[in-house]
Amino acid sequence: MEQPPPSDPSSRSRRDSDAGAAFVLESKGEWWHAGFHLTTAIVGPTILTLPFVFRGLGWGLGFTCLTAMGIVTFYSYHLMSKVLEHCEKAGRRHIRFRELAADVLGSGWMFYFVIFIQTAINTGVGIGAILLAGQCLQIMYSDLSPKGSLKLYEFIAMVTVVMIVLSQLPTFHSLRHINLASLFLSLGYTFLIVGACINAGLSKNAPPRDYSLESSKSARVFSAFTSISIIAAIFGNGILPEIQATLAPPATGKMVKGLIMCYTVIFITFYSAAVSGYWLFGNKANSNILKSLMPDEGPSLAPTSVLGLAVVFVLLQLFAIGLVYSQVAFEIMEKQTADVNQGLFSRRNFIPRLILRTLYMIFCGFMAAMLPFFGDINGVVGAIGFIPLDFVLPMLLYNMTHKPPKSSSIYWINISIMIVFTGAGIMGTFSSVRKLILDANEFKLFSSDVVG
């Protein structure tokens, strides 16, 4: 079992023989590369869930929660970056979230807690990316061959094969060009879908709109917390230290520029997708707005060519997202199995990398085929994974490293955020798991339909 790293500068000598750091998390990037990685980690097809989120919150609370989450996460990631810079100036450059938590908090259990949460996030997102990519292929196939016999799990298998090939790109830094393309793809499908929603809303075939919430007060509460959990999952990434590790040292100030790039794209895409989709469908919004625009019954609400291109853009970006969130798993595997004294592409290192990464992708693909719960997985992962790592730990780590006076506003802002989001995470976990259980009544192993 991997042990917590020592917090003193002598730990640097260990990293000289750390294959996970040397091979997967090599530090050669510039701030714009970090911006590409961050954008891919946050701005993904999960934004197509935002109209569904507004369905559980309504206009006012939807805007409020989306804006609050945006402000808090930017603030949180900025604090995390400052904690990493603080440790770097003290001679301890941490390239892994788990090392940072173990150093600052000085607790062995926290080290393993972060490993568990990161693993849940990375695996959950990996499964979700493959599942949604398979669904994209299924959508295109159904349009071209309405009576075709291929099932969802067969498309998932196709996606998994492509992911196995792409996963052999050896380092996080080697994804920089793919993640630049991912940034443009996210803008591309957002503009296409927003245009499709506006066009459909102004046409004579526009669906009737009803923005009312659920009639039961308890159902409204559960739906609201599920929606908050999904927003947390959409804004979360849980791998900021690993992304900052790709920056060529010193990293001081570089992540702020990367965050500004990322949040510019977030502002453009998140609000436009949420507003246009909820405006068009109201409380009938599906957990994937593409499915709402292409209903199972009745005509499509947008030109097939427009929706088809959007689906292709989504599909291509999902490969990048799956790769980004696999990097922590790859780093852990190669820390244990690779030999840093031999070359990255030596037979000694290439063969274990090929086998382990292939097995990891096969596992994610199998789980995606077996458990098609895309919308529900978002909520559970957000509540259990992203909220602790992105809304609680950064504030705690900052207060412990920078030690702001207890009379200062920043100290109490951090404490307040920690308390509020701990409560939201607990409630979100209950509501998300509740929805998962309710949807399980409709669930069949290896179903050809995505539930939620």
Side-chain angles (χ1 to χ4, degrees):
M1 178 70 74
E2 184 180 11
Q3 295 299 317
S7 60
D8 58 84
S10 65
S11 64
R12 286 173 292 179
S13 61
R14 291 191 178 187
R15 293 184 191 129
D16 292 338
S17 59
D18 184 342
F23 291 161
V24 181
L25 300 177
E26 64 174 354
S27 304
K28 295 182 178 179
E30 302 295 339
W31 69 264
W32 53 88
H33 298 143
F36 303 158
H37 300 324
L38 281 166
T39 303
T40 299
I42 300 176
V43 187
T46 47
I47 65 175
L48 305 182
T49 310
L50 283 170
F52 176 78
V53 167
F54 271 49
R55 167 182 163 178
L57 296 170
W59 282 114
L61 194 55
F63 271 115
T64 300
C65 289
L66 188 63
T67 303
M69 287 286 196
I71 293 171
V72 170
T73 52
F74 184 91
Y75 174 72
S76 172
Y77 297 147
H78 177 56
L79 290 189
M80 177 68 74
S81 178
K82 289 178 73 68
V83 170
L84 289 163
E85 291 173 4
H86 173 86
C87 292
E88 182 177 352
K89 290 175 182 177
R92 307 187 309 274
R93 188 178 195 225
H94 294 301
I95 62 174
R96 303 175 176 98
F97 208 141
R98 59 188 185 274
E99 289 181 354
L100 177 64
D103 180 8
V104 177
L105 301 177
S107 173
W109 72 266
M110 182 58 69
F111 175 77
Y112 297 112
F113 171 77
V114 171
I115 289 179
F116 173 77
I117 293 296
Q118 270 199 318
T119 300
I121 289 174
N122 295 338
T123 307
V125 174
I127 292 169
I130 291 175
L131 173 59
L132 186 53
Q135 189 183 17
C136 288
L137 283 178
Q138 184 186 42
I139 289 170
M140 291 188 286
Y141 174 75
S142 299
D143 185 64
L144 296 172
S145 180
K147 297 182 180 179
S149 60
L150 293 180
K151 304 297 183 183
L152 176 61
Y153 62 83
E154 294 173 281
F155 296 109
I156 288 173
M158 298 175 195
V159 171
T160 302
V161 170
V162 177
M163 288 299 297
I164 288 171
V165 174
L166 293 175
S167 69
Q168 301 310 315
L169 288 167
T171 69
F172 207 150
H173 183 61
S174 66
L175 303 181
R176 62 195 182 281
H177 301 302
I178 291 177
N179 289 339
L180 171 60
S182 168
L183 187 156
F184 287 112
L185 288 168
S186 67
L187 291 170
Y189 64 70
T190 299
F191 292 150
L192 288 169
I193 290 170
V194 169
C197 288
I198 293 173
N199 181 67
L202 297 176
S203 73
K204 62 181 181 180
N205 295 322
R209 294 173 195 137
D210 182 359
Y211 303 112
S212 62
L213 301 177
E214 296 183 66
S215 56
S216 166
K217 185 175 181 180
S218 62
R220 287 200 302 270
V221 171
F222 280 119
S223 294
F225 278 104
T226 298
S227 295
I228 290 170
S229 297
I230 293 174
I231 297 176
I234 294 173
F235 270 107
N237 72 72
I239 54 174
L240 187 137
E242 285 79 6
I243 292 175
Q244 187 155 326
T246 66
L247 290 169
T252 303
K254 293 178 182 177
M255 279 300 288
V256 174
K257 296 178 182 179
L259 281 167
I260 291 172
M261 173 194 289
C262 175
Y263 273 75
T264 300
V265 178
I266 284 174
F267 179 79
I268 294 169
T269 56
F270 282 33
Y271 282 93
S272 59
V275 170
S276 61
Y278 187 59
W279 169 73
L280 176 60
F281 294 106
N283 59 19
K284 301 299 181 184
N286 193 284
S287 64
N288 183 343
I289 196 65
L290 278 171
K291 293 286 286 183
S292 298
L293 288 166
M294 294 184 287
D296 294 331
E297 298 179 1
S300 173
L301 297 177
T304 302
S305 58
V306 171
L307 295 181
L309 186 58
V311 169
V312 170
F313 285 177
V314 169
L315 173 64
L316 293 175
Q317 197 204 20
L318 284 164
F319 293 125
I321 292 170
L323 290 174
V324 164
Y325 277 95
S326 298
Q327 296 307 303
V328 173
F330 295 163
E331 177 270 315
I332 291 173
M333 290 187 293
E334 293 185 29
K335 179 179 174 64
Q336 301 294 335
T337 61
D339 183 354
V340 74
N341 296 315
Q342 300 193 41
L344 181 61
F345 295 100
S346 67
R347 185 176 179 180
R348 164 65 181 80
N349 290 325
F350 175 75
I351 292 176
R353 179 167 69 243
L354 175 64
I355 294 172
L356 290 172
R357 294 189 181 194
T358 298
L359 290 174
Y360 179 80
M361 287 302 172
I362 289 173
F363 170 77
C364 290
F366 179 80
M367 295 300 294
M370 190 172 67
L371 304 172
F373 274 34
F374 176 65
D376 295 350
I377 286 173
N378 273 341
V380 175
V381 170
I384 297 175
F386 286 116
I387 286 181
L389 286 192
D390 294 329
F391 297 86
V392 178
L393 271 178
M395 287 67 182
L396 177 61
L397 295 175
Y398 182 87
N399 280 1
M400 294 189 69
T401 55
H402 288 72
K403 302 186 187 309
K406 291 186 178 181
S407 59
S408 65
S409 58
I410 190 169
Y411 177 86
W412 287 106
I413 288 172
N414 291 347
I415 294 293
S416 300
I417 291 173
M418 289 164 58
I419 293 172
V420 168
F421 281 96
T422 297
I426 293 170
M427 287 299 299
T429 299
F430 280 118
S431 58
S432 299
V433 171
R434 171 182 174 271
K435 188 174 188 303
L436 195 66
I437 293 170
L438 291 174
D439 285 345
N441 295 325
E442 308 170 28
F443 170 67
K444 294 180 181 179
L445 289 176
F446 300 101
S447 170
S448 197
D449 296 310
V450 175
V451 179

